[in-house]
Structure formats: C-alpha cells, structure tokens
C-alpha cells in the first residue's frame, strides 16, 4: 500500500462567520493523504490537467474542457455552494466527525466536477460543440431532404442490420435498408437509410443529381425557366473579374504553356523522346536569376520528408477572401412544391405507418423508432406504429404569438389534458385550447404546467411511463393541435411548462426503449441498476455519451419544436441515488455524498441545465426532489445542479396528514411553519403547493373530498361541517401560497374544491371514465365551489397587484402553538392566521415594525367566500399602538374569529 498526496485548492469567501479573515482570502493549497492500491492518478485530483482536444471550429456554446489550478479564481468552484451554507475549514474544528463528512462533501464536489470534465471531453470528440449535442433531432429520426428524398437515422449499436418497414413498402425488410458504402453504419452504432422519392410515370429524371426542391412554397426560383447553365454563367460573371476565370474555363492552357517553355513549340511527343530534365531546385534558381525571386514560389521547408510551403500572393489571397460565394445563384436552381409533386411521389407519404426493423444476434425484431415524433400506441391488442408526420403547408400550423416574458413570480396551473373535460371520455388538445385556457386566464394564473403530454402506452399511468420521448400523445390530437394549444396560451399571456420524465422509462419493449436493439444496455443500465426498485421501470445509462445525446436533445426538442417555456424534471431523487430516493433522509450531509449517490445522473442534470440555460436564457427548469439535495438550485459553476426552482414535496404530505389523522385542536403551528419554510437558504427558489395531482390521482383523496366528501346534507351539523371545510380549504391555500418562495402551483379543479378524486380507466374499475374528468358545471351554481373559486381568483389578484411572491422572504415573527395563531410580514403586508377551531380573539396583539394605519384587503371570512362575515366594516381599518410585541416596536390589536385569516396592508404612516 502506498500513500498518494492529493492536492486541492479551496477558496472560502469572507461572507460567513466561519470564513477566512479578509487578509486570508487567497486560495489555500491543502494536501491530504489517501491510501490507494497502486500509485496511479486519482480521478478526484483537481490539479490534474488533461490535454484539451484541439478544435479550431469550437462554437460559442462550447464550455471549457480544461481546468487549471486557478479555476476558483476564474469563477468556477466545484463546491462553492458549501461556503454559502457556512461550511468551511473552521467548521471542522471541535467536531471531527462533522468535519470528515463536510470534507467528504468537498471531495465529492471535486470528483463530480472531474467526471463532468471527462464526459465533456468525450462529447467533444463526437460533436463539434454542445449545441450540436442538443440538436440530435435535426439528424436522427425521419427528415425530408431537399434533394427529393427522405433520410432516416437511428442509433442501435447492438443491431447487425437495419431497415424501415411500413405500409408504404408493404412492410418489406429489404426494400429500404441501410446499404454498405452509403454511410449505412458507423462505428458508434448509427444507421443511415435513404428513401428516394419515386419518379412518376412519364416523367424524366432530373438532369442534375443535385437538383433541390422547396417543399413549402408552390413555386420557387427554379421554376422560372432559367437553365442551370445560364445561372452558372451568371454566377461566374459576378464572382470573377474579367480574365480571372480564364484558367478554370481552359484547364489545359497552363500545362501547355509550361510545356512550350520547357521544350519549345515542337517538343517531344513521346516519353522516349524526353531529354534529361533538370531538378526543380536548379530550374528555379536559373529562372530566379533571370526574373528575380517569385512571390508565390513553392519553397522547400528543409525537413526530411520534403514538404513544400506554397506561398500565395497576399493581395490575391485577401481579394478572394473578400468575395462572397455565389450561393444565391445555387438556390435559384431550387424548384417549388408543385414541380416536386408533378415529378415525384413521396417515398413515404404523410400519415404513413412505419417501424424500424433490426436483425440482431437474438434474431429479427421490429421497434417503434426512438426519435419518432408521432406514435399511435397499442390499443385493444393492435400493434403500435410510428406515424410519418409531414403535413402539407396548408395543414401545418403557423405560429402567431411570441412567448410571454417570464414574470418575477409564477402562479402555475397544473393540468392534464385528457381529464380536462366534463364528459367521461378523453378530452383533446382542441377542447383544452378552446374551453380551459380562457378559464385559466380568467382565474388569474400566469403559467400552465401540463402532465401526461409525452407519449405513453397505458393511459392509466397518467403519462409517467413514457415510451416515445419525442412524440406528443396521440390520444389528445396531432402535433399541430398541440402547437395551437401552446400558441394560444402564449397569446393569453400564459407560459407553458411541461413535466418531463427522464428519471426512468417504461419497461415496454414493443413500443418503448427497453431492449431497443436487442441488447439490454442500449439506453439503460444492466443488472439491478437498470431497474427501478419499486416501479418496474428502466433506469437510463446517464454516463453514456449517446444516451446523453438522446436525453439532452429531447429537452431541446420540446423547446425548439413546440416553444415550451419551462420543464419540470419529475422525480429527480430517482435519478440521484442508486436506491431511487427510497431511503430515510435526515438532512445530514453524509446522506448526499455516500456510495448511493449516482454521479453520472448528477453530471447529466448539470450538463442539461448548462446547455438549456445557454441556448434558451429565459427557460425555467424545476426539480421535483423529495430529498432537498444540497446545491439543487445553485449555479453549476459553484458546484450546484443549476435548477431555477425546486418543489417542496413535504408540504402537501403534511396537510394531508393533518386533515386525515390529526384533530383540529392538535394542529401544531410550529410544525406547519417549519414544513412550509423547511429550507430557508433556498426559500426564493421554492415552488409551493398545498395539493397537486398526486393528492387526487395516486389512490388518494383531494382536500375537498376529505373536507366535504363525508358531509351529510341532512345532518344537524351540516352547516358547521361545511363551514369548517371551506375555512380550512381557504386558509391552507393562502398560507401555502404566501409564506414561501416565488412560485405557487395548483392542480386543475382544486381551486374550487373539486369534490371527487381522479381515477383513470383501468382493469380495476372496468375501464370506466366516470372519474376521469372535471366537474366544471359546479361553477355555474351558487354554493361552496363558486365561493372557493372566487377566493382563489382574488388570491391570484393579490399576488398580481401586491407582488407578494416576488418579495423577499417573509419575517415570520409570531408563531403561537397555544393560541394557534401564525403571523408574518412580507413587504407592506401582514398575514395573520387563526387556526383555532373554537377560540376567537377580540383584541389579539400582533407586532409590526411600521407605525400607522393598516387596512384589511383580504379576509377569508367574507360572505362572498362562503364565510360568516363576522368582521364589520369599521374593523377593516386598523391603527397601530406604540407597544413592543414580537420583538417589533409597534403592534396591531386585531379581531380574529376562529378558523379565519386576513391580510392587512400598510396604508399610511403617522
């Protein structure tokens, strides 16, 4: 055993009590002893500096792939977010075990950064830059080529033979296949197939093999009757000055002239007649003695391998570089759509069904292409197919609206298109666009988040077992229908977010990616790591460059093709840990840097956020992580994963537990507050919700079903129970939306207390659609649901008018478990909640900093919200008392009826 010294350079900015003094802010070189079996280089050594691949054509999107010892000083600190959390070298003193864990966290940061560098180096050996990495959809899959053909490309390294079969070729596995010597197959496993358009009967082939067609416009420049010869002549006349095109047009003039100079006009005619010719060096010296040195002579470099440097006339070189190639004339040869349709029939018509056929070591198989953009899933025993989507120009959707500007606070309306109708059937994109989008705008939300959009085989999985990652679900309509939905949402000022599932994939083989090319390790890991421990799904091989190519391109595809404004990454904890997040977490740093952390998945998330935020600066990325991974929303340059927001998943679980299992008088105010603001360091990055689709769909009950579902209208306590339900529903929504970060989410129907859960059709309910819809008709009737909707609508207006969510973290100054009262200040607003089920307070003191007049601008007990209206008009205007309460200089004495909340606005100072 030998000891290996591992040098690290740490930098701790002087922003915390545990940081270096100002005089010691220089990077500190530390050397730690590590035991290793062989004296080889460790992967964690931050001082290692592998040679960067030289590429003079690097795109501006390409990140640096070489790290020096001064990376920290250049703004890159692989564990910089730890210093922000107060974790530095001084924190190790006095607690050896804690110090070891924190040191281990630093090591993990540097190791992860090294892995990131390595994978970037590997990517840049394949792709010129990261923008090309994220644009695989431009090459892979089915694409129409201007030269009257369709190109198909697929990645299947385990296959021996590849062909396209479909109704257009009678499902023949030999007619359209990858051919040798036609770029049919490369060393990385990418297959390339050309489907030539068919010449119509009576038509002559194109005169030129490079003839191009414009498939969008009916007529193009090439239809004007001007011949190619005329265009080339015109291009040459523009490009060359008189006399410059002499030698290109007369190729043999130069050799003939040189021949005459050497041998005269009557030189030898055969090889045998040739005299002894002097060597080039001697001839050049004789010529230079007579004419002087040449500016463009081929000079010997003097090296052993006899290389000559051809010196170009500088003036001529600059002149040629200044010329613009006559590309415009090249495009003038391109013909239009009518000319193409007259001469050719498409190799694969729009709407054709097709699959990819492989011959593998285990025999032949057919698969739905991995990059297919429209898929008809298997229904009622029918086979699944990819649909070639190439609509004619008159059917292709044309975008009308631009994406709205990302607001400082997000009020997100989460929806599932399939259950958005009131009838027991699957709703469509068109129905959602025409009926639900205007309602969302009226309700006051500024963004929608759609779930279940990406194609999935089984409807009852709610879209979480994705099979085809580049396809919108055909259950709801066509790709053009979805484009219209997004465009109309943008026209209403709504951002459109999409829930993306890259944490696992469906284990289906015929439709999905499992055993795609016959091998078990194409897209996914092998063995136990390739299977989700509890859900029966497959886990991606995040460390493979080709899988990264697929996943990152998929993210970019939804943004480029459908103009999506944000992505929520579902179940990030399933990716980050080999135990898929199914472990007890206490918040100890050891839990985030042990052997169960998947570094490849972390590197993928970092890479995805880096690329997306560079290519699309306004994109919003949201992480759904139940483990509160440190650095989740920190910049990638500081060792974070780079997300903009994270979802606080503990909040809905707390509310569900309280409503179902804890008596009202035993609710703990401290626990409520601690859960709502569980991670103060990243409170501004927190997305809050009281309940989302999980509370309604995953075999559970919505809050409204818990609160109202068991109330008997004929009971003596009906009104009391109804009042309790509406009061708690409003208070839970108000405190959840206003105490946390800059984003709030609500699932479709919960804003008006939808009384029924969601239950998708499956074998367990005889494939019934009875509960797979929303009861919008409840809003047309007077009663509790319309009252709850009015409150939710005014709650959205409160944020819009007062900028509640975009303000800084609130000052939570009053939490009383005995009186069950919570109060906090956010800007000029004071929020007060009385959760006590029976106690009302006539003069309850709440501390405020500013002395003056306050006005109640929102009261959950108002009659229009289904309350009792216990406060009279005079009690809506309040004056402070010069009395120190809650550590603040002044106080308000309030009337607080039980189970009510109010928002007081500072109006004027004394």
């Amino acid at each position: 055993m030998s000891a290996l010294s591992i040098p690290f350079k740490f930098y701790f900015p002087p922003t915390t009590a545990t940081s270096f003094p100002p005089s010691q802010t220089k990077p500190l070189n530390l050397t730690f002893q590590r035991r290793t079996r062989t004296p080889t280089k460790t992967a964690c050594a931050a001082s290692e500096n592998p040679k960067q691949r030289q590429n003079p054509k690097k795109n501006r999107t390409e990140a640096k792939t070489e790290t020096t010892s001064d990376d920290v000083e250049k703004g890159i600190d692989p564990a910089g977010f730890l210093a922000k959390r107060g974790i530095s070298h001084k924190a190790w003193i006095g607690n050896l075990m804690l110090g070891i864990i924190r040191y281990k966290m630093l090591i993990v940061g540097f190791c992860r950064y090294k892995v990131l560098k390595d994978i970037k180096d590997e990517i840049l050996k394949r792709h010129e830059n990261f923008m090309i990495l994220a644009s695989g959809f431009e090459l892979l899959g089915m694409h129409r080529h201007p030269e009257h053909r369709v190109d198909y490309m697929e990645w299947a390294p385990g296959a021996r033979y590849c062909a396209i079969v479909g109704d257009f070729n009678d499902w023949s596995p030999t007619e359209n296949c990858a051919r040798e010597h036609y770029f049919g197959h490369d060393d990385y496993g990418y297959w390339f197939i050309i489907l030539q358009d068919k010449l119509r009967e009576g038509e002559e082939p194109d005169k030129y093999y490079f003839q191009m067609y414009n498939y969008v416009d009916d007529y193009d420049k090439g239809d004007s009757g001007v011949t190619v010869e005329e265009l080339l002549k015109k291009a040459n006349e523009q490009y060359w000055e008189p006399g410059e095109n002499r030698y290109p047009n007369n190729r043999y003039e130069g050799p003939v002239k040189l021949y005459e100079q050497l041998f005269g006009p009557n030189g030898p005619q055969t090889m045998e007649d040739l005299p002894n010719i002097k060597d080039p060096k001697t001839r050049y010296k004789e010529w230079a003695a007579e004419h002087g040195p040449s500016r463009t002579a081929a000079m010997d470099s003097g090296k052993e391998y006899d290389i000559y440097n051809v010196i170009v006339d500088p003036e001529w070189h600059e002149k040629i570089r200044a010329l613009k190639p006559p590309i415009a004339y090249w495009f003038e040869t391109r013909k239009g759509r009518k000319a193409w349709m007259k001469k050719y029939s498409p190799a694969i018509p729009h709407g054709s069904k097709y699959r990819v056929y492989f011959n593998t070591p285990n025999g032949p198989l057919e698969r739905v292409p991995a990059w297919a953009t429209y898929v008809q899933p298997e229904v009622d025993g029918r086979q699944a197919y990819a649909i070639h989507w190439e609509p004619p120009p008159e059917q292709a959707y044309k975008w009308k609206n631009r994406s709205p500007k990302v607001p400082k606070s997000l009020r997100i309306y989460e929806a599932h298109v399939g259950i958005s109708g009131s009838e027991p059937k699957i709703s469509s994109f068109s129905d959602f666009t025409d009926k639900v989008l205007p309602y969302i705008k009226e309700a006051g939300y500024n963004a929608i988040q759609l779930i279940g959009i990406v194609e999935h085989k089984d409807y009852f999985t709610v879209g979480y077992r994705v099979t085809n990652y580049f396809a919108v679900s055909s259950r709801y309509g066509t790709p053009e229908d979805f484009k219209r939905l997004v465009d109309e949402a943008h026209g209403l000022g709504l951002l459109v977010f999409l829930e993306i599932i890259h944490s696992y994939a469906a284990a289906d083989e015929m439709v999905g990616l499992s055993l795609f090319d016959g091998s078990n390790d194409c897209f996914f890991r092998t063995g136990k790591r390739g299977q989700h421990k509890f859900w029966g799904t497959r886990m991606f091989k995040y460390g493979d460059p080709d899988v990264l190519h697929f996943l990152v391109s998929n993210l970019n595809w939804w943004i480029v093709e459908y103009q999506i404004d944000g992505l929520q990454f579902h179940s990030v904890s399933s990716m980050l840990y080999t135990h898929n997040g199914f472990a007890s977490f206490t918040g100890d740093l050891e839990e985030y840097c042990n052997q169960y952390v998947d570094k490849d998945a972390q590197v993928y998330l970092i890479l995805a956020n880096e690329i997306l935020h560079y290519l699309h600066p306004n994109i919003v990325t949201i992480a759904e992580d139940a483990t509160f991974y440190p650095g989740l929303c920190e910049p990638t340059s500081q060792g974070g994963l780079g997300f903009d927001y994270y979802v606080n998943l503990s909040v809905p679980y707390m509310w569900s537990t309280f409503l179902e299992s804890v008596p009202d008088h035993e609710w703990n105010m401290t626990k409520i507050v601690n859960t709502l603001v569980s991670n103060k360091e990243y409170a501004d990055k927190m997305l809050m919700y009281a309940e989302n689709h999980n509370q309604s769909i995953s075999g559970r009950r919505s809050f409204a079903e818990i609160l109202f579902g068991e109330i008997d209208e004929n009971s003596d306590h009906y009104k009391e129970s109804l009042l309790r339900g509406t009061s708690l529903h409003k208070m839970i929504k108000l405190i959840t939306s206003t105490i946390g970060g800059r984003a709030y989410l609500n699932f479709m129907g919960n804003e008006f207390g939808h009384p029924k859960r969601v239950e998708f059709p499956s074998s367990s309910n005889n494939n019934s659609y009875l509960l797979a819809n929303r009861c919008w008709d409840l809003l047309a009737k007077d009663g509790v649901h319309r009252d709850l909707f009015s409150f939710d609508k005014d709650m959205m207006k409160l944020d819009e008018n007062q900028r509640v969510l975009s303000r800084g973290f609130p000052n939570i100054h009053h939490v009383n478990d005995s009186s069950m009262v919570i109060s906090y200040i956010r800007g000029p607003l004071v929020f007060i909640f009385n959760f006590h089920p029976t106690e009302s307070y006539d003069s309850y003191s709440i501390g405020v900093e500013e002395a003056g007049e306050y006005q109640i601008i929102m009261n959950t007990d108002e009659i229009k919200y289904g309350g009792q209206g216990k406060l009279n008009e005079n009690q809506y205007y309040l004056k402070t008392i010069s009395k120190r309460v809650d550590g603040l200089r002044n106080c308000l004495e309030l009337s607080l009826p039980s189970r009510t909340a109010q928002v007081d606005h500072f109006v004027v100072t004394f």
Side-chain angles (χ1 to χ4, degrees):
M1 300 288 286
S2 60
L4 176 66
S5 296
I6 310 174
F8 290 91
K9 178 170 278 192
F10 294 150
Y11 176 66
F12 303 100
T15 57
T16 65
T18 57
S19 299
F20 289 122
S23 61
Q24 297 179 355
T25 57
K26 294 182 179 180
L28 176 66
N29 288 309
L30 304 176
T31 301
F32 301 100
Q33 296 297 320
R34 178 180 174 181
R35 305 293 294 179
T36 183
R37 294 183 180 277
T38 57
T40 56
K41 291 184 179 180
T42 175
C44 298
S47 61
E48 287 183 1
N49 193 8
K51 292 183 179 179
Q52 183 177 359
R53 183 176 69 90
Q54 296 297 321
N55 187 350
K57 297 181 180 180
K58 286 184 180 179
N59 187 277
R60 62 195 179 104
T61 64
E62 179 177 318
K64 293 176 66 177
T65 59
E66 179 175 324
T67 303
T68 67
S69 60
D70 296 328
D71 273 339
V72 175
E73 297 170 352
K74 295 177 182 178
I76 299 176
D77 188 356
F81 73 93
L82 294 176
K84 180 179 179 180
R85 293 169 61 93
I87 302 174
S88 66
H89 76 299
K90 288 189 177 181
W92 303 346
I93 302 174
N95 192 334
L96 181 59
M97 183 55 66
L98 181 61
I100 292 173
I101 294 173
R102 289 175 171 177
Y103 159 65
K104 188 175 180 181
M105 194 72 182
L106 291 171
I107 299 298
V108 168
F110 279 93
C111 287
R112 184 174 63 204
Y113 190 62
K114 179 62 169 59
V115 173
L116 177 64
K117 289 197 309 174
D118 291 343
I119 196 65
K120 284 183 176 180
D121 286 338
E122 181 64 26
I123 288 170
L124 293 176
K125 292 177 182 177
R126 307 267 200 95
H127 309 281
E128 186 176 350
N129 51 61
F130 292 114
M131 183 172 67
I132 294 177
L133 169 76
S135 304
F137 52 83
E138 295 181 354
L139 289 177
L140 283 101
M142 197 80 75
H143 298 280
R144 175 152 289 283
H145 192 280
E147 295 178 5
H148 53 83
R149 72 176 200 241
V150 172
D151 294 343
Y152 176 79
M153 198 171 181
E154 191 69 78
W155 180 61
R160 295 177 176 175
Y161 177 87
C162 180
I164 292 295
V165 297
D167 53 11
F168 64 95
N169 64 6
D170 295 328
W171 303 96
S172 171
T174 58
E175 183 172 340
N176 301 107
C177 59
R179 297 158 58 190
E180 294 295 333
H181 311 298
Y182 286 86
F183 309 103
H185 183 220
D186 68 6
D187 294 337
Y188 297 110
Y190 288 89
W191 297 86
F192 183 70
I193 300 175
I194 295 177
L195 292 80
Q196 292 284 357
D197 290 341
K198 298 176 182 177
L199 193 67
R200 295 185 186 274
E201 187 176 354
E203 293 291 334
E204 294 291 332
D206 288 314
K207 182 177 180 181
Y208 300 98
Y209 72 91
F210 54 78
Q211 179 65 60
M212 301 175 70
Y213 289 88
N214 175 1
Y215 303 105
V216 177
D217 301 320
D218 284 343
Y219 290 94
D220 212 340
K221 296 180 179 179
D223 301 315
S224 61
V226 180
T227 64
V228 174
E229 289 81 2
E230 292 174 321
L231 288 173
L232 293 177
K233 181 180 178 181
K234 189 175 180 181
N236 283 331
E237 290 175 353
Q238 177 179 319
Y239 191 76
W240 302 104
E241 292 186 2
E244 286 186 340
N245 61 343
R246 173 182 172 186
Y247 289 110
N249 293 336
N250 302 276
R251 297 182 180 181
Y252 299 107
E253 182 177 345
V256 169
K257 187 174 182 181
L258 178 62
Y259 187 83
E260 289 181 355
Q261 289 179 356
L262 291 173
F263 305 109
N266 299 315
Q269 303 298 310
T270 64
M271 294 292 293
E272 290 77 11
D273 297 337
L274 281 175
N276 292 329
I277 302 175
K278 297 177 182 179
D279 63 276
K281 192 172 183 180
T282 303
R283 294 202 312 272
Y284 173 73
K285 285 183 177 180
E286 292 177 354
W287 183 90
E290 181 180 353
H291 301 90
S294 172
R295 297 175 62 189
T296 58
M299 307 300 294
D300 191 342
S301 64
K303 302 213 175 153
E304 296 180 359
Y305 36 85
D306 195 22
I307 295 296
Y308 285 83
N309 296 323
V310 179
I311 303 176
V312 181
D313 185 349
E315 296 179 5
W316 179 85
H317 188 258
E318 291 299 324
K319 179 180 178 181
I320 293 299
R321 291 188 64 181
L323 290 175
K324 293 183 178 179
I327 298 178
Y329 292 100
W330 181 271
F331 283 112
E332 283 196 27
T333 66
R334 188 174 58 179
K335 297 182 179 181
R337 180 177 180 83
K338 280 193 174 181
W340 168 66
M341 294 184 67
K342 179 178 180 296
K343 185 178 286 287
Y344 296 98
S345 61
I348 175 170
H350 167 63
S352 298
K353 298 177 180 179
Y354 71 96
R355 290 196 293 267
V356 60
Y357 174 94
F358 295 126
N359 196 351
T360 71
N362 296 324
L365 52 85
E366 292 183 8
R367 294 286 187 260
V368 174
W371 299 74
T373 59
Y374 193 40
V375 175
Q376 182 69 50
E378 184 178 359
V379 181
D380 299 331
R382 292 186 288 110
Q383 285 279 18
Y385 306 99
I387 307 295
H388 179 58
W389 195 254
E390 188 187 353
E394 61 272 15
Q395 296 179 15
Y397 187 80
K398 296 175 178 59
W399 295 91
K400 298 179 295 184
N401 303 300
R402 300 184 64 180
S403 295
K405 183 179 178 181
V406 179
K408 292 183 179 180
S409 64
L410 293 174
R411 303 184 298 275
I412 305 171
Y413 193 88
E414 187 180 46
H416 186 285
V417 171
I419 65 170
S420 62
S422 56
E423 299 180 10
K425 66 175 185 177
I426 299 177
S427 292
S428 66
F429 288 134
S430 296
D431 293 336
F432 189 90
T433 303
D434 297 334
K435 299 176 182 178
V436 182
L437 282 182
Y439 165 81
I440 297 173
K441 177 64 177 178
E442 179 194 356
Y445 292 86
N446 57 17
I448 60 173
Q449 179 169 296
L450 299 174
I451 63 175
I453 293 297
V454 187
E455 190 60 89
H456 48 287
K457 177 185 174 184
D458 299 314
Y459 186 50
F460 69 85
T461 64
V462 200
Y464 286 110
R465 297 193 178 184
V466 174
T467 51
N468 311 103
Y469 279 81
F470 289 83
V472 295
S473 180
S474 59
R475 296 176 181 85
Y476 317 131
T478 68
E480 309 309 305
D481 294 335
F482 184 59
K483 289 178 182 178
R484 176 173 171 263
L485 187 157
V486 176
D487 196 28
E488 292 296 328
H490 287 166
L492 293 171
L494 299 171
L495 297 173
V496 181
F497 297 164
L498 194 68
E499 188 171 40
I500 205 80
I501 295 88
H502 282 186
S503 46
Y504 51 84
D508 188 85
E509 298 175 13
M510 290 300 296
V511 186
L513 300 176
S514 186
L515 301 178
F516 180 71
D517 61 355
S519 63
N520 195 34
D521 61 346
C522 183
F523 286 95
F524 307 110
R525 298 181 185 272
T526 58
K528 293 182 178 180
R529 291 286 302 277
Q531 305 285 338
H532 195 285
K533 290 183 179 296
F534 297 96
W535 296 342
T537 49
R538 299 301 307 273
M539 304 303 296
F540 283 104
K541 189 166 52 174
Y542 299 106
D544 188 288
D546 294 296
V547 176
L548 289 177
H549 184 38
F550 176 85
L551 294 175
V552 176
S553 294
N554 181 242
L555 299 175
N556 195 29
W557 159 261
W558 291 103
I559 301 169
V560 172
E561 181 68 12
Y562 294 106
Q563 300 190 14
I564 295 299
D565 305 297
L567 298 168
Q568 175 170 311
F569 287 68
H570 170 73
S571 190
V572 170
S573 52
S574 291
M575 305 168 59
L576 290 177
Y577 311 98
T578 58
H579 51 59
N580 304 131
F582 285 86
S584 297
F585 280 85
T586 63
D588 193 339
L589 287 178
E590 170 69 18
E591 297 164 346
Y592 305 107
C593 59
N594 56 29
Q595 70 272 24
Y596 301 111
V597 176
D598 190 331
K599 294 184 180 62
D600 290 338
Q602 290 179 341
V603 167
Y604 160 63
L605 293 174
I606 293 171
L607 193 65
N609 275 301
E610 280 188 359
I611 293 175
L612 288 181
H613 284 94
Y614 187 90
L615 296 179
H616 313 284
N618 295 324
I619 195 69
V620 176
T621 59
I622 305 170
E624 185 189 74
D625 174 31
T627 67
F628 295 108
Y629 184 84
L632 194 67
C633 294
E634 288 291 340
T636 57
S637 61
Q638 297 299 302
L641 301 188
F643 287 98
D644 298 305
Y645 293 92
Y646 74 95
V647 181
N648 189 342
L649 293 170
S650 60
V651 173
Y653 176 77
M654 175 198 67
W655 289 127
S656 297
T657 303
F658 274 25
L659 290 174
E660 291 186 308
S661 306
V662 181
D664 292 2
H665 63 277
E666 294 182 8
W667 286 23
N668 187 288
M669 301 298 105
T670 301
K671 182 176 181 179
I672 290 176
V673 171
N674 288 341
T675 304
L676 290 170
V677 293
S678 57
N679 202 343
K680 294 182 180 180
E681 294 88 348
Y682 306 115
D684 62 323
K685 303 287 188 179
M686 190 169 9
L687 186 154
M688 301 281 282
Y689 61 86
E691 55 177 335
N692 76 344
H693 63 272
N694 285 331
Q695 277 64 49
S696 302
I697 292 175
S698 302
R700 307 171 192 170
R701 297 186 296 168
S702 67
F703 288 177
E705 190 171 9
I706 298 171
L707 293 168
F708 310 129
E710 299 177 358
I711 298 178
D712 185 2
E713 294 185 8
N714 299 319
S715 170
D716 296 336
H717 304 287
Y718 170 70
K719 290 186 177 180
E720 181 182 344
S721 299
L722 189 65
L723 179 62
R724 169 187 177 271
T726 55
S727 299
L728 289 177
H729 195 279
K730 291 177 289 185
M731 294 179 70
I732 288 172
K733 291 295 184 72
L734 182 61
I735 192 172
T736 304
S737 65
T738 58
I739 200 174
R742 293 184 290 114
Y744 172 74
L745 180 144
N746 170 77
F747 180 63
M748 178 175 57
N750 289 345
E751 71 278 5
F752 63 84
H754 195 278
K756 299 178 182 178
R757 66 187 183 280
V758 178
E759 192 174 281
F760 282 79
S762 64
S763 58
S764 62
N765 61 10
N766 295 321
N767 295 314
S768 171
Y769 287 84
L770 188 61
L771 295 177
N773 54 20
R774 299 279 86 180
C775 301
W776 300 111
D777 58 307
L778 294 174
L779 295 175
K781 308 172 185 176
D782 290 333
V784 60
H785 300 290
R786 180 185 282 187
D787 295 340
L788 291 177
F789 175 69
S790 297
F791 175 78
D792 193 86
K793 186 176 178 180
D794 287 349
M795 191 172 70
M796 297 300 105
K797 285 182 180 179
L798 178 69
D799 176 64
E800 184 178 359
N801 297 332
Q802 300 295 334
R803 300 179 292 110
V804 178
L805 302 184
S806 59
R807 296 185 183 274
F809 188 74
N811 175 18
I812 306 173
H813 63 293
H814 187 96
V815 180
N816 192 317
D817 289 321
S818 299
S819 62
M820 300 183 70
V821 174
I822 298 172
S823 178
Y824 50 90
I825 301 173
R826 199 162 189 177
L829 305 177
V830 183
F831 296 83
I832 307 102
F833 297 82
N834 178 14
F835 278 96
H836 206 288
T838 56
E839 290 293 330
S840 297
Y841 307 103
D842 294 330
S843 299
Y844 196 94
S845 297
I846 293 292
V848 293
E849 187 65 29
E850 297 291 338
E853 293 184 0
Y854 287 76
Q855 179 185 359
I856 299 177
I857 59 174
M858 193 170 196
N859 175 19
T860 63
D861 192 43
E862 289 190 32
I863 295 176
K864 65 178 180 178
Y865 300 145
Q868 295 177 296
K870 290 184 175 181
L871 296 183
N872 57 48
E873 187 175 346
N874 295 332
Q875 292 174 304
Y876 273 65
Y877 296 90
L878 311 165
K879 292 184 178 181
T880 58
I881 300 173
S882 181
K883 176 182 176 183
R884 195 168 188 84
V885 176
D886 299 327
L888 302 176
R889 293 179 295 177
N890 302 283
C891 78
L892 293 171
E893 290 191 349
L894 308 168
S895 177
L896 296 179
S898 62
R899 286 203 190 102
T900 64
Q902 59 182 256
V903 183
D904 299 347
H905 182 263
F906 177 73
V907 179
V908 63
T909 186
F910 287 151

